[in-house]
Amino acid sequence: MHEQAGGRPAGRPYTRFLVPAGVNLLFGIPAMIPLHSAWLLLTRYRSCALDTAGFGLTHCGDVTVIEGASWARAGLLVVGGLGLLLVVLVDVLFPAATGRPWRRWLAASLVIPLPYLLAVITFAVLD
């Protein structure tokens, strides 16, 4: 196998980016939950998005809006928080600990919202 100037094995340039992009693309599938929850909180449940008053103590809408906003908040905080922790672990800490270039992994994290954007575009076209 050929070596580069730094003593590292030379790989194909496109395969060095495909592995981080593929891993981050797989992270995009469960990331659809917090992304959709954030979208719901910004659009449909906007009046109850930040309201933490108990049931019957708020004037932000009917029961479906209040219950929907709480599920959207839970999806955003719980699944989004765990997903963010996983992305930091895999894209920053793991490459830094193993001596791999973490910038390539961090740049590949830009493909995480791609499955959600494709789903939104598909449903918009088919609707």
Side-chain angles (χ1 to χ4, degrees):
M1 185 174 234
H2 301 289
E3 289 189 9
Q4 289 180 345
R8 294 181 300 189
R12 294 184 181 102
Y14 60 90
T15 58
R16 286 185 279 166
F17 189 72
L18 281 180
V19 172
V23 169
N24 283 304
L25 198 59
L26 289 175
F27 287 158
I29 295 169
M32 293 173 79
I33 295 170
L35 288 172
H36 189 66
S37 297
W39 178 256
L40 287 175
L41 286 173
L42 291 173
T43 57
R44 185 181 298 172
Y45 305 131
R46 184 182 314 178
S47 59
C48 285
L50 299 174
D51 188 9
T52 57
F55 181 73
L57 302 175
T58 184
H59 300 290
C60 63
D62 62 350
V63 175
T64 59
V65 173
I66 296 170
E67 290 176 357
S70 64
W71 281 108
R73 278 190 299 239
L76 181 64
L77 292 176
V78 174
V79 179
L82 291 173
L84 185 62
L85 182 66
L86 184 66
V87 167
V88 168
L89 181 74
V90 170
D91 287 341
V92 178
L93 297 178
F94 178 70
T98 58
R100 293 186 175 143
W102 59 272
R103 290 181 183 155
R104 185 178 306 137
W105 282 83
L106 199 57
S109 68
L110 295 174
V111 301
I112 291 174
L114 191 63
Y116 180 69
L117 293 175
L118 289 175
V120 167
I121 291 169
T122 303
F123 286 126
V125 168
L126 295 178
D127 191 25

